[in-house]
Amino acid sequence: MLAVNYSTIRSNLKDYCDKATDNNETVIVTRKNEKNVVLMSLEKYNSIMKATKNAKYLAMIDKAIEQLEQGKGNMHELIEVEDE
């Protein structure tokens, strides 16, 4: 992980973009009196977003299992559908 100030990254943007994409580097862009931002490859971003969605999905499944174990589930008869 690299930390670079705004002025440096502005004058060397291509180099830092290459580091993010080619070396899978995360670059923190520090800005004076402003909130910092992060530069990373789209591949890494997509991976983080997928992991976040998976974690939320797994948390929902865990909650459902917990509810079933507490007897909060409902039984339903299966309906069989004939193939057309």
Side-chain angles (χ1 to χ4, degrees):
M1 185 177 304
L2 302 172
V4 182
N5 68 39
Y6 177 82
S7 299
T8 301
I9 201 159
R10 184 177 57 194
S11 60
N12 298 294
L13 183 59
K14 182 190 180 316
D15 293 336
Y16 286 101
C17 287
D18 289 344
K19 288 180 184 194
T21 57
D22 298 341
N23 302 336
N24 202 28
E25 193 73 59
T26 301
V27 181
I28 300 171
V29 182
T30 60
R31 304 185 307 160
K32 189 175 182 178
N33 301 322
E34 298 287 337
K35 294 180 180 178
N36 296 337
V37 296
V38 175
L39 174 70
M40 68 178 69
S41 70
L42 179 60
E43 182 180 333
K44 190 170 189 174
Y45 171 80
N46 286 337
S47 175
I48 291 169
M49 295 308 295
K50 183 177 180 180
T52 301
K53 289 178 185 176
N54 287 345
K56 288 178 184 177
Y57 181 71
L58 291 173
M60 286 180 6
I61 291 173
D62 287 343
K63 183 178 178 180
I65 290 171
E66 185 179 309
Q67 288 174 342
L68 285 173
E69 289 173 346
Q70 293 173 356
K72 296 180 181 176
N74 295 319
M75 293 281 280
H76 297 276
E77 293 291 325
L78 290 179
I79 302 172
E80 293 196 30
V81 178
E82 294 182 26
D83 291 335
E84 293 183 37

